[in-house]
């Protein structure tokens, strides 16, 4: 039965109770950045989170990069703002797309994402679940170079390999080398190609019907602006009497946070201020569940095939020490036998 | 912890969580346990301001049961834009029989079955819709005898404190004067501590104000409550209460009873925490026990309804653990064999040593015996010798004597 109460019971405070608990517990977020070297990924991350995550970074020259394979590096930083704690992990992919032959250069990345899913799956199925660490990748910013005419084959291949594993947010990087018209053309082109190739990038959830009109309008503009064309900067310059993050050119000053210069503010608002939690939820409820379902179905079908219900096959690789101990036992067995005689 | 030079904006995260939770709505399952007539239904109605139990649908007291039943009623209530699906679980018949042994069993079974449902839902492939029907809180009604807990109260709470958040309440508190109530509360808390019953504990908080509040609540435990379905006019105000010839006992008057404390604690401040403790402690305990106890076959054939009762990974984990245990067992067995062999060898050595020792002793004894024999013989020989010598001497003497006599005789001329 459905009743409306005339007097106040008080459970309307439930969301507040949840709010308080979440502040107390703190948050964590894992952001992956992918794209060729030199597209401004590190600078953008620094600009987004106002922290210098890449101090003392050594940049490799072209020769050194010939033999470099795609690596996965992680930087974790604990930041706090207005009493809210955030453990931010940035997963970098140096070497991606840099080689001459970039075939399957996304494989280390998909493997990394799968590993995190697997780890979480194991932890979740274990006996003691008190302190599970959530290292799953919640969002992947993919940097598209502004120099071409749309998506390149490697861009398409990468996004198709990852769109069902992680929330992909494509960005047009170093947008300060494009005029507003060129930006618009490129965005339209990229949007068409994304649709054409069936790439499922992160979709913003629909606005709540009870939101204010202003918010709804903003939301609409946000959606029409994708992919965001961004500029980042590690330096502070003086522009219009203020100190702002920007890039100083002879012909003018590019301000990172100026909405008429680039979409940085939109990206930041979307990524951090309004949709950070949704990115986590989609990762948990969609990508991770897909992975898990796939895993379970594989396991059960193999079990059914082999018809050996008493010894399950280790689909996921068990650590090798088991082989070692087997060998040791065999050795000891022989020893004992020999001593007997 | 790094401090930022500007405003990034993730301080908005809790708000995002807030909005999401409002959108999703909330669920809460409350169980009420206690003998008939203690006012459970009335209290529920008073707490949630809804007539969950009315003349058309009377509370459990009105329904006479021969055995303990567990029944649930669901109601969807809305307030301030927040939706709450409230499930009240009743236990009519509890404690009403002559012999109340095991009357808690149906309750335990119910709670466990809800845990099991959740465990199964969690292990399924499709986990989109996972309703949470686990019991988040159990209000246990203590009769206002004024003396202390009854054996049934202790038995029940001891069996359930590991499965659900137990909040003991003194029912129909308007039969106790403030002093009697104070004493009664003290007695109950003493007995609870003596029997090591773990009732729901309020979480610690860093907020000073909150901790003051919490301390106040703790001092009042167990809460003494009065419920009422009737609204009475007192001094121009309309209040829920019980009209006596001598006055009106007001439900929401803090000086009359602890109803408001209960309501604030249960609903306004700690409802989410009750759910969290159920999820993180009671459910996890159940789950660990369940998973650890399943046989290596993994799928329990008697309970299998066409779905895995345990996730395959847990099964694998089980196998791996068994494997490790098997290895350990083999290791200990081998060590045992080794030890045994060492012992045997040692024993053998000891035996041969003893044997040698024995032989040595034997030989010594033999030697001694021989020596003695020889001594004897020598002794004998000496004796014989001595005898013989003595005899010889006697013979000599005799000879001498004889010759002497002959001489004598010769001299006497007797010889011709």
């Amino acid at each position: 039965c459905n009743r409306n109460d005339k007097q106040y019971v008080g459970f309307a405070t439930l969301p507040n109770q949840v709010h308080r608990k979440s502040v107390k517990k703190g948050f964590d977020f894992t952001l992956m950045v992918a794209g060729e070297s030199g597209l401004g990924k590190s600078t953008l991350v620094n600009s987004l989170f106002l922290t210098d995550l890449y101090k003392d970074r050594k940049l490799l020259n072209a020769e050194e990069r010939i033999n470099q394979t795609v690596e996965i590096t992680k930087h974790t930083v604990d930041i706090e703002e207005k009493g809210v704690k955030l453990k931010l992990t940035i997963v970098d992919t140096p070497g991606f797309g840099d080689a001459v032959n970039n075939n399957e250069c996304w494989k280390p990345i998909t493997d990394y994402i799968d590993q995190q899913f697997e780890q979480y799956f194991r932890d979740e199925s274990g006996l003691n679940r008190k302190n599970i660490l959530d290292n799953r990748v919640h969002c992947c910013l993919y940097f598209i170079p502004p120099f071409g005419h749309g998506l390149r084959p490697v861009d398409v291949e990468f996004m198709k390999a990852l769109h069902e594993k992680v929330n992909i947010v494509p960005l047009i990087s170093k947008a300060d080398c494009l005029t507003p018209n060129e930006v618009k053309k490129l965005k339209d082109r990229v949007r068409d190609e994304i649709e054409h190739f069936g790439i499922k990038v992160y979709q913003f959830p629909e606005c709540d019907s009870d939101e204010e009109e202003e918010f709804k309008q903003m939301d609409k503009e946000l959606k029409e602006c994708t992919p965001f064309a961004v500029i980042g900067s590690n330096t502070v310059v003086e522009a219009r009497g203020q100190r702002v993050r920007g890039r100083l050119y002879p012909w003018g000053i590019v301000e990172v946070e100026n909405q008429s210069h680039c979409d940085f503010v939109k990206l930041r608002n979307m990524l951090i201020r309004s949709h950070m939690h949704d990115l986590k939820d989609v990762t948990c409820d969609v990508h991770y569940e897909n992975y898990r379902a796939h895993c379970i179905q594989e396991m059960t079908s193999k079990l059914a095939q082999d018809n050996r219900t008493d010894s399950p096959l280790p689909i996921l690789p068990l650590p090798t020490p088991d082989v070692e101990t087997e060998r040791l036992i065999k050795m000891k067995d022989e020893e004992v036998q020999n001593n007997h005689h | 912890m790094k401090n930022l030079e500007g405003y990034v904006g993730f301080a908005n995260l809790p708000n995002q969580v807030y909005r999401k939770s409002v959108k999703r709505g909330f669920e809460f399952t409350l169980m009420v346990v206690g003998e008939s007539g203690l006012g459970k239904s009335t209290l529920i109605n008073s707490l949630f301001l809804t007539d969950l139990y009315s003349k058309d649908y009377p509370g459990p007291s009105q329904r006479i049961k021969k055995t303990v039943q567990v029944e649930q009623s669901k109601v969807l209530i809305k307030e301030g834009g927040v939706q709450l699906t409230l499930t009240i679980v009743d236990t009519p018949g509890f404690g009403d029989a002559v012999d109340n042994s095991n009357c808690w069993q149906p309750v335990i079974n119910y709670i466990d079955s809800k845990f099991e449902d959740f465990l199964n839902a969690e292990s399924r492939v499709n986990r989109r819709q996972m309703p949470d029907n686990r019991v988040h809180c159990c209000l246990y009604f203590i009769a206002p005898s004024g003396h202390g807990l009854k054996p049934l109260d202790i038995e029940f709470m001891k069996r359930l404190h590991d499965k659900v958040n137990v909040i003991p309440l003194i029912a129909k508190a308007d039969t106790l004067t403030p002093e009697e109530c104070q004493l009664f509360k003290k007695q109950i808390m003493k007995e609870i501590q003596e029997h090591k019953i773990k009732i729901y504990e309020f979480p610690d908080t860093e907020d000073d104000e909150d901790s003051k509040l919490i301390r106040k609540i703790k001092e009042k435990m167990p809460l003494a409550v009065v419920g009422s379905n009737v609204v009475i006019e007192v001094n121009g105000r309309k209040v829920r209460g019980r009209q006596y010839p001598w006055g009106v006992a007001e439900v929401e008057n803090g000086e009359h009873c602890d109803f408001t404390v209960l309501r604030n604690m249960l609903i306004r401040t700690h409802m989410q925490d009750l759910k969290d403790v159920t999820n993180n402690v009671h459910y996890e305990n159940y789950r660990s026990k369940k998973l650890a106890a399943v046989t290596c076959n993994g799928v329990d054939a008697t309970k299998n309804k066409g779905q895995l009762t345990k996730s395959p990974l847990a099964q694998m984990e089980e196998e791996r653990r068994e494997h490790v245990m098997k290895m350990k067992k083999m290791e200990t067995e081998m060590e045992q064999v080794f030890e045994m062999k060492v012992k045997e060898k040692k024993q053998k050595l000891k035996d041969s040593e003893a044997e040698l020792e024995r032989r040595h002793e034997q030989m010594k004894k033999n030697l001694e015996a021989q020596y003695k024999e020889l001594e004897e013989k020598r002794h004998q020989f000496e004796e014989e010798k001595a005898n013989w010598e003595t005899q010889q001497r006697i013979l000599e003497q005799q000879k001498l004597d004889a010759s002497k006599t002959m001489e004598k005789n010769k001299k006497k001329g007797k010889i011709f």
Side-chain angles (χ1 to χ4, degrees), chain B residues 46-166:
Chain B
S46 308
L47 270 174
F48 292 99
L49 296 176
T50 103
D51 290 330
L52 203 64
Y53 301 109
S54 60
K55 281 217 182 63
D56 306 319
Y57 180 59
S61 301
Q62 313 287 339
R63 296 172 262 142
I64 302 168
K65 302 282 178 186
K66 291 225 176 71
T67 54
V68 181
Q69 310 274 322
V70 181
E71 298 173 350
Q72 66 180 44
S73 345
K74 266 196 212 273
V75 68
L76 175 66
I77 36 184
K78 288 194 207 176
E79 190 178 75
V82 176
Q83 268 186 187
L84 174 67
T85 303
L86 178 69
T87 307
I88 304 290
V89 181
D90 256 317
T91 53
F94 179 87
D96 286 343
V98 175
D99 180 4
N100 285 311
S101 324
N102 290 323
C103 67
W104 46 79
Q105 199 56 48
V107 177
I108 293 180
N109 291 344
Y110 180 86
I111 295 177
D112 278 345
S113 78
K114 294 303 167 194
F115 278 158
E116 167 123 17
D117 287 345
F118 195 82
L119 183 61
N120 285 340
E122 216 186 17
S123 311
R124 266 199 211 108
V125 173
N126 186 340
R127 310 198 290 185
R128 290 288 140 94
Q129 309 269 11
M130 274 211 318
D132 185 3
N133 289 320
R134 299 172 292 185
V135 180
H136 300 119
C137 179
C138 174
L139 298 179
Y140 185 74
F141 286 69
I142 301 169
S145 63
H147 294 169
L149 291 174
K150 291 197 272 209
L152 175 61
D153 301 332
I154 295 172
E155 281 299 321
F156 179 86
M157 287 199 276
K158 270 174 83 168
R159 283 158 200 285
L160 262 82
H161 65 175
D162 278 330
K163 291 190 180 286
V164 72
N165 296 316
V166 175

Side-chain angles (χ1 to χ4, degrees), chain A residues 79-142:
Chain A
I79 38 185
E80 183 174 339
E81 190 176 73
K82 290 198 176 168
V84 178
K85 299 191 188 81
L86 175 67
K87 183 168 185 278
L88 177 69
T89 305
I90 305 290
V91 179
D92 218 335
T93 56
F96 174 83
D98 283 348
V100 174
N101 179 357
N102 284 314
N103 245 343
E104 303 240 308
C105 62
W106 49 85
K107 195 141 186 331
I109 299 173
T110 47
D111 285 346
Y112 177 81
I113 295 178
D114 280 340
Q115 269 167 33
Q116 306 315 308
F117 280 158
E118 183 190 318
Q119 183 63 48
Y120 194 83
F121 189 21
R122 274 179 194 273
D123 288 345
E124 197 188 39
S125 311
L127 276 193
N128 189 340
R129 312 199 291 185
K130 295 242 152 96
N131 299 310
I132 303 185
L133 276 179
D134 185 5
N135 287 323
R136 297 173 292 184
V137 180
H138 301 123
C139 177
C140 176
L141 299 178
Y142 185 68

Side-chain angles (χ1 to χ4, degrees), chain A residues 1-5 7-24 27 48-53 55 77-82 84-86 118 121-130 206 208 210-211 245 268 272-278 281 285-286 288-290 292-294 296-297 299-300 303 309-316 318-319 322 325-326 328-329 332-333 336 339-340, chain B residues 1-23 26 47-52 74-80 82-84 121-128 203-207 210 240 252 263 266-273 275-276 280-281 283-285 287-289 291-292 296-298 308 311-317 319-321 323-324 327 330 334 337-338 341:
Chain A
C1 49
N2 209 332
R3 315 265 190 156
N4 270 318
D5 298 302
Q7 278 174 282
Y8 187 62
V9 173
F11 62 82
T13 60
L14 269 166
N16 295 69
Q17 297 179 33
V18 171
H19 186 288
R20 289 184 63 146
K21 270 196 177 247
S22 70
V23 171
K24 218 170 143 189
F27 295 87
L48 270 174
F49 292 97
L50 297 178
T51 115
D52 200 354
L53 281 166
K55 276 204 239 291
V77 68
D78 286 309
I79 38 185
E80 183 174 339
E81 190 176 73
K82 290 198 176 168
V84 178
K85 299 191 188 81
L86 175 67
E118 183 190 318
F121 189 21
R122 274 179 194 273
D123 288 345
E124 197 188 39
S125 311
L127 276 193
N128 189 340
R129 312 199 291 185
K130 295 242 152 96
E206 283 308 316
D208 295 328
D210 63 333
E211 290 280 16
R245 282 199 174 223
R268 184 184 58 194
I272 304 173
R273 295 187 190 177
S274 42
H275 291 86
M276 196 177 236
H277 206 79
D278 186 63
D281 284 342
D285 298 339
V286 180
Y288 171 70
E289 289 296 317
N290 283 340
R292 181 176 172 276
H294 181 72
I296 292 182
Q297 278 168 345
M299 276 192 229
T300 46
L303 277 176
T309 48
D310 53 337
S311 62
L313 299 164
I315 309 294
L316 306 158
L318 291 169
D322 283 331
T325 28
E326 292 266 273
L328 221 77
I329 287 175
K332 293 290 173 194
D333 240 331
V336 170
N339 274 339
H340 213 281
Chain B
M1 198 61 71
K2 274 184 150 220
N3 275 321
L4 305 170
E5 338 143 354
Y7 184 61
V8 173
F10 62 81
N12 204 30
L13 267 166
N15 292 343
Q16 298 177 27
V17 172
Y18 181 105
R19 293 190 61 100
K20 185 119 198 226
S21 67
V22 171
K23 232 172 132 179
F26 295 86
L47 270 174
F48 292 99
L49 296 176
T50 103
D51 290 330
L52 203 64
K74 266 196 212 273
V75 68
L76 175 66
I77 36 184
K78 288 194 207 176
E79 190 178 75
V82 176
Q83 268 186 187
L84 174 67
E122 216 186 17
S123 311
R124 266 199 211 108
V125 173
N126 186 340
R127 310 198 290 185
R128 290 288 140 94
D204 289 321
T205 165
E206 297 149 355
D207 195 316
D210 281 350
R240 281 198 174 224
E252 296 190 18
R263 182 188 58 198
L266 181 65
I267 304 174
R268 296 185 188 179
T269 50
H270 289 84
M271 195 176 242
Q272 186 61 35
D273 188 64
K275 291 178 70 172
D276 289 341
N280 300 338
V281 179
Y283 172 67
E284 288 297 318
N285 282 343
R287 186 177 169 277
S288 318
K289 274 194 225 138
L291 290 184
C296 78
N297 208 0
L308 298 165
S311 79
L313 251 157
Q315 186 178 321
M316 260 169 49
E317 195 79 50
E319 289 287 316
R320 192 208 312 224
R321 226 174 303 119
H323 188 72
V324 168
M327 294 297 155
M330 282 182 77
M334 281 198 311
V337 167
F338 179 70
K341 294 222 183 275

Side-chain angles (χ1 to χ4, degrees), chain A residues 9 50 63 84 102 119 157 183 197 242 275 308 317 338:
Chain A
V9 173
L50 297 178
E63 223 182 300
V84 178
N102 284 314
Q119 183 63 48
E157 291 299 310
V183 168
F197 287 106
Q242 286 181 322
H275 291 86
R308 277 192 286 152
N338 288 337

